[in-house]
């Protein structure tokens, strides 16, 4: 996989003889960092830590859910998720409710404010990504689009949430 020259002088070019796994890891890391930093252009008030955003994303698809299930999905310790959920309850993004299936347990649900925050965050990221994709040539856009199914499969092979979602 040949390395392309980078227009940003501040970003070192990847090593051209690096294995594909290292280059892919570097590309994913750079994409996440660039997307996270660039969102402040369209969404300057965004201050949620990425761990909370990821919990909102899970809750946007699976709500309500037990903290233990959130922890399993995100591969985090239940105590870590519990702490994040506590912060998110204080911020009004999620609520804790009695689990209707087991009244001794509780579940976490996305609030209307949490759903609004998640929708705004998602829309801002999509606008930034659309702008970045528009800056690519046709061949590069086709290459990105063509790689998407393989990238989702790769995430499943790495044990991503889609591969082992509990309760499904």
């Amino acid at each position: 996989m040949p390395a392309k020259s980078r227009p940003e002088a501040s970003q070192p070019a990847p090593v051209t003889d690096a294995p594909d796994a290292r280059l892919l890891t570097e590309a994913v890391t750079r994409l996440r960092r660039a997307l996270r930093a660039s969102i402040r252009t369209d969404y300057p008030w965004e201050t949620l830590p990425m761990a909370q955003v990821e919990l909102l994303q899970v809750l946007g698809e699976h709500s309500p859910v037990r903290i233990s299930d959130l922890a399993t999905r995100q591969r985090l310790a239940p105590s870590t998720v519990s702490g994040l959920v506590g912060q998110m309850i204080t911020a009004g993004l999620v609520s804790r409710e009695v689990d209707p299936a087991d009244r001794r347990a509780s579940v976490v649900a996305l609030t209307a404010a949490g759903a609004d925050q998640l929708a705004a965050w998602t829309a801002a990221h999509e606008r930034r990504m659309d702008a970045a994709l528009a800056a690519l040539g046709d061949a590069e856009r086709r290459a990105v689009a063509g790689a998407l199914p393989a990238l989702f499969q790769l995430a499943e092979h790495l044990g991503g949430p889609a591969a082992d979602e509990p309760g499904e």
Side-chain angles (χ1 to χ4, degrees):
M1 187 159 114
K4 297 222 177 207
S5 63
R6 303 278 191 260
E8 312 84 26
S10 64
Q11 294 284 340
V15 178
T16 56
D17 63 347
D20 286 347
R22 184 182 325 150
L23 291 173
L24 181 58
T25 300
E26 182 179 341
V28 169
T29 300
R30 284 186 185 191
L31 278 170
R32 283 182 57 100
R33 189 178 308 126
L35 187 57
R36 183 79 175 151
S38 75
I39 193 168
R40 299 213 190 322
T41 301
D42 286 351
Y43 194 31
W45 57 90
E46 198 281 308
T47 59
L48 283 179
M50 197 62 207
Q52 288 185 17
V53 171
E54 290 172 354
L55 288 179
L56 286 178
Q57 289 172 320
V58 170
L59 289 168
E61 295 179 21
H62 308 280
S63 184
V65 66
R66 288 184 179 190
I67 286 181
S68 60
D69 290 339
L70 276 174
T72 299
R73 289 175 194 275
Q74 296 307 108
R75 297 182 188 274
L76 295 171
S79 60
T80 300
V81 172
S82 185
L84 289 167
V85 165
Q87 294 167 5
M88 295 167 72
I89 288 171
T90 300
L93 301 173
V94 300
S95 63
R96 191 182 315 258
E97 305 165 356
V98 173
D99 184 347
D102 180 355
R103 302 207 49 86
R104 298 168 296 169
S106 63
V107 292
V108 177
L110 199 58
T111 63
D116 290 346
Q117 180 86 8
L118 178 59
W121 186 91
T122 300
H125 272 78
E126 287 174 358
R127 283 191 302 273
R128 296 302 297 159
M129 190 60 77
D130 283 342
L133 287 167
L136 298 177
D138 290 342
E140 289 84 5
R141 278 194 303 277
R142 282 192 302 274
V144 170
L148 292 174
L151 291 171
F152 280 112
Q153 285 181 349
L154 184 60
E156 288 184 28
H157 288 298
L158 288 170
D164 60 350
E165 293 186 342
E168 305 227 323

